Amino acid sequence: MKKNNVSSAILYVSLLAFISFVVYILYINQEVFYTVHDRSEFLFGTPFFHTLMQKPFGLIQYVGAWFTQLFCHPALGAGVLVAVWTLIFYVGAKAFRLQGSASALMLLPVACLLTSIVDLGYWIYILPIRGYWFSQSIGYLIMLLFLWAARSTPRKWHIVWYLLAFCIYPVLGWFALLFILCLALSEKPTWRELVGIVLLVFTASIWHTQFYSNLKFDNVMLAGMPRFVTPLDSSARLSIPFWALGAISILIPLCGRLLAKKLTPVLCAVAGIIFTSSLMFHDRNYIDEMRMVRYASGDNWKEVLRMAEETKKPTRTMVFLKNIALMNEGGLLDRSFKLGNDGENITNPDSLHVSLLDIASPLVYYNYGMMNEAIRLSFENAIQAGFSPFYLKMLSRCALATGDQKLVERYTTLLHHHPFYSNWQPVPVTEKIKELQKCYPDELTGVENSDSYIVNGISLWYESDSKVASEQALLYAMLRCDSRRFWASMRNYVKLHMNEKFPLHAQEAYIMYMDKSPEEKRMILPVEQSIYDHYKQFWGSLEKLAKPGMKFEEAGEMMREEWGDTYWWYNIFGRKIY
């Protein structure tokens, strides 16, 4: 009796520890889950359904895509996932006939599924797999239900279950094959298991030949097993949780009874925690970038600036959104370099080609009045990653800005079928955006959209009569460290902002360019003596560090703390965003 009580206590404590870990991981990824819903496609109607049904595992993907909408409220979506995983734990213990301490083995499949949704990193922006976030958990749960039902029937009926698995391969995909293997390994070998193994080997080939000949065999073999491949990128690392899931499911019927030890729950909980922790992608800028994009999408510029103030080394996406926030809230040329324009490269374990282009370029183009570029890029990204709420909202806002009410209605109608966007309407176009629209030529340039394209394009607005555009042109000429465009932009800025305060960073740039090329003085402007004295102190500090053996990057880092909020530091040491 005491041994049973100890075993039960160890089991419950281990389960509690693992559950606490799961809750913590889901909590710190709340912003990721919101972005998941925002970048995942589910379109109401038969075309989207039929598109997915044209390939095996499509029905489960469709169901998964519907459930992904629940991540609009991250806690709700995470709660549904936890409910599915709880069922997996319970049904799995019944299906594999695990009792007592051995039931803790089902923590390992749950750990694999948890890992699969928190290890993607920046793949979240370009992942072409519909319904990814729920489909694997739902597919695995259905497989376990079939296994439970099959093992609850007499062995003579197992041949029927093997044939049924063959028939439902278009629905369950690789989980149908996993079901056959788990059922065959759960019993002593007979001719029925031999039939099951034969079906396991030839199922995909038969379905490909007879029904899916229009698809590549690779897309039919192990259908539904996620493959992380695009024309430019691929990752084998992200498939590890699914191979581990399959391997664990095979080993449990083989070794489950042998592992029914008192410490099994502890080992399983620790193994699951280590597995998830080692593969999970977690980076502060990754999360903050998502949150900043969400605030910017809702025109919540105060929150964007609050986050910019808290971020020490922002990514390029955060730099652009911060400058748009300053354009709307004021103080662009007084605060931009104080908040940082030294765009950090994103942290990514894969050689993934993801940049501002994939994360927030349509949003940036929209706020700078470049509607055609925003529309073009939204379509290009949506064709690859799907017409998700993010792109439908962007296209609606762009259509409103261009005055095309029919397109607004078309995009909002698609959004209104989403359970949490039934009353969504694009916010009115701001006066600043309307003003900037007039400065940008209403045509497509045909060049690749990128952060450098934005910087270079806006820095050419120095002939505009718009006060907003002249401010942007001056900032981006400074970001380019281009003296020719700086002087043209400065002249236009002064003309349009006559009798206004000379902004701090504009004074810093003016002093530096006057000092660098005194023979090319273009205009004489009054500057504050304190700023000029500060400039001389900057060069004095730099000269003290300019010693033999001192690396350029090291000098920049040493000066960052005191001088990193000045244009001078950016001009010399900053990682340029163009």
Side-chain angles (χ1 to χ4, degrees):
M1 180 67 74
K2 289 183 178 180
K3 288 185 177 180
N4 290 335
N5 290 337
V6 172
S7 297
S8 297
I10 292 175
L11 174 62
Y12 293 139
V13 171
S14 299
L15 289 176
L16 181 60
F18 186 80
I19 291 170
S20 301
F21 173 74
V22 171
V23 171
Y24 169 73
I25 294 300
L26 295 177
Y27 173 75
I28 64 176
N29 281 280
Q30 292 291 289
E31 201 63 44
V32 176
F33 296 149
Y34 180 86
T35 304
V36 165
H37 116 274
D38 209 27
R39 301 301 178 110
S40 297
E41 181 183 47
F42 180 86
L43 298 177
F44 179 82
T46 55
F48 180 69
F49 178 75
H50 287 160
T51 299
L52 291 181
M53 290 300 292
Q54 289 175 2
K55 56 186 180 180
F57 201 67
L59 180 60
I60 303 297
Q61 283 189 314
Y62 181 83
V63 175
W66 188 90
F67 275 103
T68 303
Q69 299 176 103
L70 301 180
F71 278 132
C72 184
H73 297 290
L76 175 61
V80 173
L81 263 183
V82 169
V84 173
W85 294 339
T86 302
L87 287 174
I88 286 174
F89 181 87
Y90 176 79
V91 175
K94 296 293 185 181
F96 291 116
R97 297 180 180 175
L98 302 172
Q99 296 180 351
S101 298
S103 63
L105 290 170
M106 289 309 299
L107 293 178
L108 299 178
V110 172
C112 293
L113 293 168
L114 170 64
T115 304
S116 71
I117 68 168
V118 296
D119 67 344
L120 284 181
Y122 283 91
W123 274 90
I124 191 174
Y125 295 105
I126 62 172
L127 188 68
I129 304 173
R130 305 297 183 264
Y132 170 84
W133 303 88
F134 277 89
S135 60
Q136 299 301 310
S137 295
I138 292 172
Y140 190 66
L141 175 59
I142 295 173
M143 187 278 289
L144 292 175
L145 287 169
F146 273 100
L147 184 61
W148 185 13
R151 297 195 68 188
S152 300
T153 57
R155 287 194 64 187
K156 63 181 181 180
W157 292 106
H158 283 192
I159 185 65
V160 176
W161 287 103
Y162 292 133
L163 293 173
L164 177 62
F166 170 81
C167 294
I168 63 174
Y169 183 76
V171 178
L172 282 185
W174 77 286
F175 288 114
L177 303 182
L178 186 61
F179 164 77
I180 293 175
L181 197 53
C182 289
L183 183 58
L185 294 174
S186 297
E187 307 292 348
K188 293 181 179 180
T190 65
W191 66 270
R192 299 179 186 87
E193 279 63 50
L194 180 61
V195 172
I197 297 300
V198 171
L199 285 175
L200 175 71
V201 173
F202 293 103
T203 293
S205 298
I206 294 172
W207 278 102
H208 177 256
T209 303
Q210 299 300 320
F211 297 97
Y212 296 109
S213 57
N214 59 318
L215 301 176
K216 293 181 180 179
F217 181 69
D218 289 347
N219 294 332
V220 181
M221 182 65 180
L222 294 179
M225 168 75 82
R227 295 181 179 88
F228 301 89
V229 179
T230 70
L232 295 176
D233 306 289
S234 64
S235 175
R237 178 185 63 86
L238 297 179
S239 296
I240 292 176
F242 304 106
W243 291 111
L245 177 65
I248 291 168
S249 301
I250 294 168
L251 290 174
I252 287 178
L254 291 176
C255 310
R257 294 179 181 177
L258 300 176
L259 295 175
K261 307 296 183 181
K262 185 165 58 176
L263 292 180
T264 296
V266 177
L267 296 175
C268 290
V270 171
I273 291 172
I274 292 175
F275 182 78
T276 301
S277 300
S278 61
L279 292 178
M280 180 181 69
F281 182 89
H282 187 69
D283 177 70
R284 174 67 183 274
N285 272 354
Y286 170 68
I287 301 294
D288 288 347
E289 197 173 54
M290 289 178 171
R291 187 174 291 116
M292 191 177 281
V293 170
R294 176 158 65 95
Y295 288 143
S297 297
D299 289 353
N300 191 348
W301 303 116
K302 284 184 170 59
E303 284 299 313
V304 172
L305 288 178
R306 181 188 62 79
M307 293 196 62
E309 291 170 352
E310 296 174 355
T311 305
K312 300 301 182 182
K313 294 184 178 182
T315 64
R316 295 184 179 189
T317 297
M318 298 169 81
V319 167
F320 277 103
L321 295 179
K322 173 262 300 179
N323 285 330
I324 293 173
L326 288 172
M327 175 184 73
N328 285 280
E329 294 296 317
L332 178 64
L333 293 174
D334 283 309
R335 299 179 62 194
S336 181
F337 291 93
K338 285 185 176 181
L339 296 178
N341 282 310
D342 182 39
E344 288 286 312
N345 294 324
I346 63 173
T347 301
N348 189 46
D350 295 316
S351 57
L352 191 61
H353 297 81
V354 172
S355 65
L356 170 70
L357 188 71
D358 308 284
I359 300 171
S361 273
L363 185 60
V364 173
Y365 284 127
Y366 169 81
N367 280 282
Y368 282 132
M370 304 177 178
M371 296 305 159
N372 281 335
E373 300 289 0
I375 293 169
R376 177 168 74 114
L377 189 56
S378 293
F379 267 108
E380 289 177 356
N381 289 350
I383 288 171
Q384 175 182 332
F387 283 87
S388 60
F390 177 81
Y391 292 116
L392 290 175
K393 287 185 286 187
M394 282 308 312
L395 289 168
S396 298
R397 298 185 72 176
C398 291
L400 182 64
T402 56
D404 195 330
Q405 194 59 38
K406 289 184 178 180
L407 278 180
V408 174
E409 293 176 2
R410 179 181 301 177
Y411 297 132
T412 53
T413 298
L414 289 173
L415 272 171
H416 288 169
H417 290 295
H418 191 290
F420 301 105
Y421 288 101
S422 58
N423 297 314
W424 187 89
Q425 291 294 331
V427 297
V429 185
T430 66
E431 292 301 320
K432 282 186 170 65
I433 291 176
K434 291 178 181 179
E435 189 174 338
L436 291 176
Q437 270 185 278
K438 301 174 184 178
C439 306
Y440 184 73
D442 188 23
E443 60 186 19
L444 292 175
T445 62
V447 302
E448 179 185 358
N449 291 291
S450 64
D451 43 7
S452 62
Y453 172 71
I454 297 174
V455 174
N456 293 336
I458 296 178
S459 66
L460 291 173
W461 289 356
Y462 50 76
E463 294 182 349
S464 171
D465 293 332
S466 162
K467 295 180 71 172
V468 178
S470 69
E471 184 181 50
Q472 302 306 312
L474 181 55
L475 173 70
Y476 282 101
M478 292 163 62
L479 291 175
R480 275 179 53 86
C481 300
D482 186 329
S483 62
R484 294 182 59 185
R485 293 188 186 181
F486 170 78
W487 288 116
S489 300
M490 177 62 80
R491 185 181 300 107
N492 192 48
Y493 178 87
V494 170
K495 181 180 71 174
L496 296 175
H497 294 78
M498 193 70 68
N499 299 323
E500 295 183 13
K501 180 187 174 183
F502 197 2
L504 170 64
H505 296 314
Q507 289 191 60
E508 291 176 345
Y510 173 79
I511 293 170
M512 174 171 259
Y513 285 120
M514 288 284 282
D515 186 43
K516 276 187 172 182
S517 303
E519 71 281 359
E520 296 182 6
K521 293 179 181 178
R522 306 300 178 94
M523 56 195 311
I524 303 298
L525 296 171
V527 296
E528 296 177 26
Q529 184 63 40
S530 60
I531 298 177
Y532 181 72
D533 293 339
H534 203 46
Y535 175 68
K536 290 190 293 184
Q537 293 170 11
F538 169 80
W539 281 109
S541 299
L542 183 57
E543 288 173 359
K544 291 179 182 178
L545 292 176
K547 300 176 182 179
M550 173 63 71
K551 294 183 179 179
F552 181 79
E553 294 78 9
E554 292 178 357
E557 285 301 315
M558 292 177 69
M559 294 190 66
R560 180 194 288 270
E561 184 174 351
E562 183 178 359
W563 303 98
D565 61 350
T566 66
Y567 176 71
W568 312 315
W569 185 92
Y570 170 84
N571 186 282
I572 296 176
F573 298 109
R575 187 180 289 104
K576 311 302 184 291
I577 63 173
Y578 60 86

